[in-house]
Amino acid sequence: MNIELLPAKDGNNTCKINSIFLHSAYAPLRESERFVSNVTSPFRPEIIFIIEPGLSYCTEYFRKKFPDTKLAVIRLIKGFENYNKDFDYNFNFYENSSQKSFFSNLFERFGENILAFSLLLCWEPSAKIFPGETFNILKSYKETIEKCHSVLRTRSFFEKRWIKNALNISLFAENTGSLAKKGSCPVVICASGPSLKKAIPFFKQVKPYIIAVSSAIRPLFDAGIKPDLVISTDGGYWAKKHLETLYKCNSDIVLSVEGNIPVSLLQSSRIIPMIYSDGVESELFMKSGKPFITGLRCGTVSGTALNLAKQVTSGPVYFAGLDLYVSNGFQHTQNNNLELINCNTDKKILTKEQRLCSQSFSNQKISLKIYEDWFANLQDLSKNVFRLIDEPENTLGNIKDIKCEELLQIDFSGEKPVFNFSKNHCNLHELQNYIKTKSSTNEWFENVFTAEYLNYLHTYDENVKEDLLKKIEDTNTDFLERLCKVFTKN
C-alpha cells in the first residue's frame, strides 16, 4: 500500500493510504483528542488495544485519561514502525500467519486476568481502509474475551475446591513419585472422542505405551487394555467418577494437585503429583515435601497430556480420540462412567435422544473450537505428533492425521519411562505455616476469590470497592475454617 505523508492545515503531519486520508487534513491532533474523549470504560482497563492508529497522535491523550493503563498498537500495514515507541506493546497483524486466531495467541501472553479487563478500539478511518482485517481482529477479540470470562467463572467457582483438593493430596497420598528416567518409546495418548473406538482394536495388537485421560479409562478397561499412565486434571465433583474405574484397573495416576479424586483411591494408588508454574495450589503442595512433576496448565486435559508425553519420552506421540468437534450422538467413546449415570434419568418423555441432541447445541461447541484452535496453533509441542483418525472433520495445524490401521506399521519398541515411588510423610508444619502466612495476602485473594478480587481492583467507586473487600474477607474467614477441618481428618 502507498503511504503518503503531507502537512495538515494546522501544520502537523497527516497521511493518506492509497489516496484515502488516515488522519484529518485540517487538525489531526484535535481529531485524536476527540477520539479519546469519547472513549469510556465501566472498569479500570489493564490494557487498551488500538487497531492501526497511523501516526499515533492519540497516545498522548490516552496517557492523560488512563495514566495507569498499558497501551498496545495493532499494526495493519508496514510503514508506521517509527511511531511504536509511544506504545507499551506493538503487534504486527499483517505478519500473523493465523489472523483469525490473533487474540488466541495474545491470550497465551497476557492471560485472562488482564484480557478480561481490556479494551479494543479501532481508529475509524482504519476500519474503512481495512474492513476485512478489522473484522477478523474484532471477531478474534470477542471469542477470546468469551474464553477469558469462561476461565474466570471456572476459577471463581472451583478455586476453593482446588485448594482443598491440593491439601487432600498433600495429606492423604501415601505412595507418590516423580520421573526418574525419560524413555524413547512411542507414546499413544487416548482422549475420549468417538473416534477412539476405531483405534482400540489396534492397541490390542501393537500394545503401545498408553497415557489415558480420565474419561478414556472406562472404554479401554472394557476392551481389556490397562493404560500405563492415567492423567487427571479436573477439580470438579464429576471428575472423580471417571477415576473410579481404577479400583479395578490399577494404573499409575498423574494427578494435577488441584484434581479431584476419591480419598480411598488416593491412599491405595501410586500417584505422580503434577504442579503448574502458577497458582496457590502448586505452592501449597510443594510445602508438603512430597515429589512431583511439572505440567502445562491448559484448558483441555489433552493439551496437558501432550506436554506430559513430551516430558516422558523422546519418541513420537500419537493421539487417539482427539476429535475436537461436536458429532451427532455421544460426544465420548462408550462405555463412559458419566453416561452410565446420566442414562438413569432418561424417561419416555425426556429421552436419551433429546439429551444427546441438546449437547450438540450447548456451549460444548464453543469449548471444542477453542481447544481445536489451541492445537492448530501449536509450534514446538506439535513436532513429531500425529492424530489417529480415519475420517477427520477438521485439521490441527502441524499435527498430521494418519489412519488407525497405520499403527500396525509403527515400531513401538524402545525404552519406557521410569518413575520412582516412595512413601513420604507430609510436612504438616510447613503446610499450616504456608496457609497462615499466605491467606491474608493479595495473591491469595486474587487466586481464591478471582472474579470478586479483580472486580475490586478495577472498580472506580470507592464505596463499592470497600464493600467488595469486606465481602472477600468474610468469605475468606469461612473458607479457612473449612480448611482447618481437613487437617483434623489426618
Side-chain angles (χ1 to χ4, degrees), residues 198-475:
K198 291 187 177 181
I200 286 177
F202 296 99
F203 298 156
K204 300 178 75 170
Q205 297 182 59
V206 299
K207 295 180 171 56
Y209 188 93
I210 291 179
I211 299 175
V213 307
S214 57
S215 53
I217 303 171
R218 182 62 186 264
L220 291 172
F221 173 75
D222 288 350
I225 298 172
K226 175 187 173 183
D228 296 271
L229 287 178
V230 167
I231 179 171
S232 180
T233 62
D234 195 333
Y237 170 81
W238 294 106
K240 63 184 180 182
K241 293 297 181 182
H242 290 303
L243 295 174
E244 289 177 354
T245 303
L246 293 178
Y247 286 119
K248 308 172 184 177
C249 170
N250 191 23
S251 298
D252 296 340
I253 308 171
V254 176
L255 181 66
S256 78
V257 294
E258 60 195 34
N260 201 353
I261 184 173
V263 172
S264 57
L265 190 61
L266 185 63
Q267 294 171 323
S268 63
S269 302
R270 299 204 304 183
I271 305 293
I272 304 161
M274 182 173 65
I275 68 169
Y276 299 122
S277 60
D278 62 347
V280 168
E281 308 83 28
S282 295
E283 288 185 5
L284 175 66
F285 180 82
M286 285 191 285
K287 298 299 180 181
S288 72
K290 295 186 176 183
F292 59 84
I293 62 173
T294 303
L296 174 68
R297 186 185 293 279
C298 186
T300 168
V301 63
S302 295
T304 306
L306 176 56
N307 176 261
L308 171 66
K310 291 290 189 175
Q311 287 188 60
V312 303
T313 186
S314 58
V317 177
Y318 298 89
F319 263 111
L322 191 69
D323 300 21
L324 298 181
Y325 52 81
V326 174
S327 58
N328 294 325
F330 293 113
Q331 303 304 312
H332 299 281
T333 295
Q334 301 303 304
N335 286 324
N336 178 279
N337 282 352
L338 294 188
E339 173 58 26
L340 295 176
I341 295 171
N342 292 335
C343 69
N344 291 326
T345 64
D346 294 333
K347 300 176 182 177
K348 188 172 183 180
I349 297 176
L350 300 174
T351 65
K352 176 182 292 188
E353 288 74 16
Q354 288 175 303
R355 175 168 56 83
L356 296 179
C357 181
S358 67
Q359 293 176 359
S360 300
F361 295 99
S362 68
N363 289 334
Q364 186 178 32
K365 186 176 295 186
I366 298 173
S367 299
L368 290 177
K369 184 65 173 67
I370 292 172
Y371 304 152
E372 178 187 337
D373 288 343
W374 187 86
F375 279 99
N377 289 314
L378 282 179
Q379 298 300 324
D380 292 342
L381 274 181
S382 65
K383 293 177 181 176
N384 214 17
V385 178
F386 307 87
R387 180 172 66 159
L388 301 166
I389 189 165
D390 288 347
E391 299 174 356
E393 294 189 21
N394 58 3
T395 57
L396 299 181
N398 294 325
I399 299 177
K400 181 182 177 182
D401 290 338
I402 64 174
K403 292 188 178 298
C404 296
E405 63 182 17
E406 294 183 47
L407 281 172
L408 301 177
Q409 280 74 53
I410 297 169
D411 181 5
F412 282 96
S413 62
E415 292 187 0
K416 295 182 178 181
V418 177
F419 294 88
N420 280 346
F421 293 89
S422 59
K423 294 191 176 183
N424 299 291
H425 293 291
C426 178
N427 192 327
L428 283 174
H429 175 73
E430 287 292 325
L431 281 177
Q432 291 169 334
N433 188 54
Y434 173 82
I435 293 174
K436 182 179 179 180
T437 57
K438 194 79 171 182
S439 59
S440 59
T441 65
N442 291 337
E443 183 183 355
W444 176 274
F445 289 156
E446 184 171 346
N447 273 269
V448 183
F449 309 100
T450 307
E452 297 92 335
Y453 189 71
L454 290 176
N455 284 331
Y456 160 77
L457 289 179
H458 296 92
T459 297
Y460 286 112
D461 191 312
E462 292 300 325
N463 291 327
V464 174
K465 283 177 71 92
E466 186 178 341
D467 291 342
L468 285 172
L469 184 58
K470 179 66 166 58
K471 182 179 179 182
I472 291 170
E473 291 172 340
D474 290 345
T475 308

Side-chain angles (χ1 to χ4, degrees), residues 465-490:
K465 283 177 71 92
E466 186 178 341
D467 291 342
L468 285 172
L469 184 58
K470 179 66 166 58
K471 182 179 179 182
I472 291 170
E473 291 172 340
D474 290 345
T475 308
N476 188 46
T477 299
D478 294 339
F479 175 56
L480 292 175
E481 290 177 357
R482 294 201 300 273
L483 283 186
C484 288
K485 294 179 181 179
V486 179
F487 282 103
T488 61
K489 294 179 183 179
N490 187 43

